């Protein structure tokens, strides 16, 4: 019994998003997008990542991202990872809804 209780307590420590990450801005090359991390419970935001058609954009880890020529015709998402200090395995990543395809 004690072992099951210990496992249950561990699962209760996993961060969760009560509000998913989101993106604001104009989906056009040269425009700036702003990513909102959403709302995290049982943890804190530990990483942010902009993605182009699901693939991480090198160096794009800030809350804002200026759309580039390489983004034209692609969809952009904003991924946020939350962790807590109790256990390195206690982390979760949630990805925003995609933008419209980026216009030139």
């Amino acid at each position: 019994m004690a072992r099951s209780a210990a496992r249950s307590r561990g699962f209760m420590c996993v961060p969760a998003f009560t509000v998913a990450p989101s993106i604001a801005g104009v989906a056009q090359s040269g425009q700036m997008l702003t990513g909102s991390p959403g709302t995290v419970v049982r943890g804190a935001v530990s990483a942010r990542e902009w993605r182009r058609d699901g693939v991480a954009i090198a160096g794009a880890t800030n809350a804002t991202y200026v759309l580039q020529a390489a983004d034209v015709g692609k969809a952009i998402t904003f991924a946020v990872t939350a962790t807590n200090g109790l256990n390195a395995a206690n982390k979760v990543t949630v990805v925003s809804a995609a933008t419209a395809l980026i216009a030139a």
Side-chain angles (χ1 to χ4, degrees), residues 24-94:
V26 178
Q28 183 175 7
S29 184
Q31 297 295 312
M32 180 183 293
L33 299 179
T34 301
S36 170
T39 304
V40 178
V41 294
R42 297 185 307 273
V45 172
S46 59
R48 295 170 178 83
E49 175 182 83
W50 291 93
R51 298 178 179 177
R52 179 187 301 122
D53 280 351
V55 178
I57 301 170
T61 58
N62 294 320
T64 59
Y65 175 69
V66 176
L67 294 164
Q68 309 294 313
D71 299 322
V72 173
K74 309 278 197 287
I76 302 296
T77 54
F78 184 60
V80 178
T81 300
T83 58
N84 70 34
L86 298 175
N87 182 333
N90 290 342
K91 69 178 181 177
V92 64
T93 300
V94 175

